[in-house]
Amino acid sequence: MNESSQNVIRIVVDECVEIDAPLVEKFRRTLSPQQPVEIVFLAASHRGIPDTEILRRLLGPDSLLLSTDRVLHNQALALGFRSYTLDEKGDLFGKKLAHVAAPEPLLSARSVGELKTDYVHPPNPIASALKSTMAERDFKRYRTRRRRIRSYFGSEANISSASLTIGARTTTRGLISGFFLSLGGYSGVKGIRANEGYALTLANEHEPAWCVIHALRDLYLLQLETVAVEIYIIPPASLALCQDLLSGSAPISQSPGDESLRRLLQGLKSVRAFPCGKGPFFEGMKNKLQQLASGRSNELVVTESHSIINALEQADACIIRTVAGD
C-alpha cells in the first residue's frame, strides 16, 4: 500500500444527498477497504451552508464532493476539485455534465469567522403561511432559485437591495399581474434579474392590491424580506394604495385584499413605493402583459386569492400570539 493511499480522504456530502443515497453507496464501492475516510454530511454539520462556502472552505486537494446539484458539481470541477454525481443512467460520474450552465462562483468575498453549524434563514410566519398555499413541487422551484441567487452573490448577507417592477392588465379572463425582480449586491457584485412571474386572478377580483401582493409574495418565498426593497408600480390605483398603506393614511375599512397587502408591506424590513416611469422596464412589462393577454402561456399561473388571504390572516394571528407571549 503506497503512502498516498494512507491519506485521509474527506468526503463532503451535499445537503441534497441522503446518508443512504445511491450516490454515497456507489462512491463507497470505489474505495479500497483500507482507505481511511472522513465523511462530512452538510445536512448535519453545516445546515444551509452557501455553495460558495462549500467551494471556498470545505474542498481541497484531499477532499471531494458528492452532490446531485448539477451546477455545484460543475463549479467544483471548474475550480480543480473532485466531485461526483450520478448521470442520467444512475451511474457514478466524475466529469463535467454537458449542457449544464454553471456561473463562475463568487470566491473573492472574504469569509468571516468560523464555519457555522447552521446557515438556515430564520423562520418567518408570513413566508410559512404563503408556502402553505403552494404545492410542494412548486415550492421546490423556489428553494432551487434561492440557492442559485445565494450562490451568485456568495451568501445571503451579500445581497444589498431588491427592486420590483409591477404591472397589471385587465382581460376577459381576469386580471393578469406581472413583476420583474432585480437584486443588487455588496462587494462589487453586479446586480442581476433574479426572477419574474405572472399570475391570473378571477374576473371579479380586479382589486388594485392583487398585482402588488403577487410580487411581494415572491420576496418572502425567496427569503428576501430583510433586504431593502424598492417597488416601482405601473397601475396608478395600485401605487396610490401602496403609498397610503405605507404612510398609514389608508382608510380603516379596507377590503380583504388591501389588508393582505398591508400585512406583506409591514413584514418587510425596508420598503418604498414609486411610480414606474417610461423606460425599458415599463415597456418590457407592458409588452409582456400584452403578449400574455393575447394567447395562452404556461408562464401564467392561476392564483386563488381567498387561500392567500386566509393564510395571511392566520400568520397575523400567529404573530399577535407570539408578541403577547401566548
Side-chain angles (χ1 to χ4, degrees), residues 256-275:
D258 293 353
E259 183 63 16
S260 294
L261 177 56
R262 180 194 65 78
R263 290 186 177 98
L264 292 176
L265 289 169
Q266 288 185 346
L268 298 173
K269 183 177 181 179
S270 172
V271 57
R272 297 188 296 170
F274 304 95

Side-chain angles (χ1 to χ4, degrees), residues 19-263:
I19 294 176
D20 57 351
L23 175 57
V24 177
E25 180 59 29
K26 290 184 178 184
F27 181 77
R28 283 180 183 272
R29 293 174 189 168
T30 68
L31 301 173
S32 67
Q34 295 80 21
Q35 176 63 59
V37 298
E38 173 193 2
I39 302 181
V40 179
F41 289 99
L42 297 183
S45 59
H46 305 292
R47 196 164 67 103
I49 186 171
D51 290 355
T52 51
E53 290 292 270
I54 298 173
L55 298 172
R56 180 167 47 197
R57 306 181 72 176
L58 293 179
L59 297 180
D62 293 323
S63 64
L64 57 89
L65 176 68
L66 298 182
S67 177
T68 55
D69 184 326
R70 299 182 300 169
V71 172
L72 179 61
H73 168 76
N74 277 6
Q75 287 179 325
L77 291 171
L79 292 172
F81 302 128
R82 289 180 291 172
S83 179
Y84 294 89
T85 189
L86 297 179
D87 61 16
E88 295 178 355
K89 298 179 180 179
D91 295 327
L92 197 66
F93 195 73
K95 297 181 180 179
K96 280 190 176 183
L97 294 164
H99 311 300
V100 175
E104 184 177 350
L106 180 66
L107 302 180
S108 57
R110 185 177 179 181
S111 297
V112 178
E114 299 294 328
L115 282 166
K116 300 178 183 179
T117 57
D118 194 341
Y119 291 80
V120 174
H121 187 86
N124 181 288
I126 293 179
S128 298
L130 293 171
K131 178 187 174 183
S132 71
T133 67
M134 305 174 64
E136 180 59 29
R137 66 178 181 277
D138 296 325
F139 187 69
K140 184 178 179 181
R141 289 195 286 268
Y142 276 96
R143 287 199 297 266
T144 301
R145 188 169 295 277
R146 281 202 310 256
R147 186 166 184 172
R148 294 287 170 262
I149 289 171
R150 292 174 186 177
S151 176
Y152 175 83
F153 285 102
S155 71
E156 180 182 349
N158 285 336
I159 303 173
S160 62
S161 61
S163 64
L164 283 164
T165 302
I166 302 172
R169 182 185 178 97
T170 302
T171 71
T172 56
R173 289 182 288 162
L175 182 71
I176 297 178
S177 304
F179 69 84
F180 301 144
L181 171 62
S182 299
L183 297 176
Y186 298 111
S187 304
V189 182
K190 184 179 179 181
I192 58 169
R193 171 79 70 83
N195 203 14
E196 60 183 289
Y198 308 94
L200 174 69
T201 55
L202 300 179
N204 62 343
E205 295 174 339
H206 292 181
E207 295 187 46
W210 287 117
C211 63
V212 188
I213 290 173
H214 175 231
L216 296 185
R217 178 171 170 260
D218 218 60
L219 295 177
Y220 286 93
L221 294 173
L222 291 174
Q223 297 180 343
L224 297 170
E225 72 274 7
T226 60
V227 175
V229 180
E230 293 183 345
I231 50 179
Y232 298 87
I233 306 172
I234 296 175
S238 301
L239 173 63
L241 174 61
C242 266
Q243 291 178 330
D244 285 346
L245 290 171
L246 287 171
S247 67
S249 62
I252 297 176
S253 57
Q254 299 170 10
S255 71
D258 293 353
E259 183 63 16
S260 294
L261 177 56
R262 180 194 65 78
R263 290 186 177 98

Side-chain angles (χ1 to χ4, degrees), residues 302-313:
V302 177
T303 59
E304 297 182 359
S305 57
H306 68 277
S307 64
I308 294 176
I309 290 174
N310 292 337
L312 291 174
E313 287 177 347

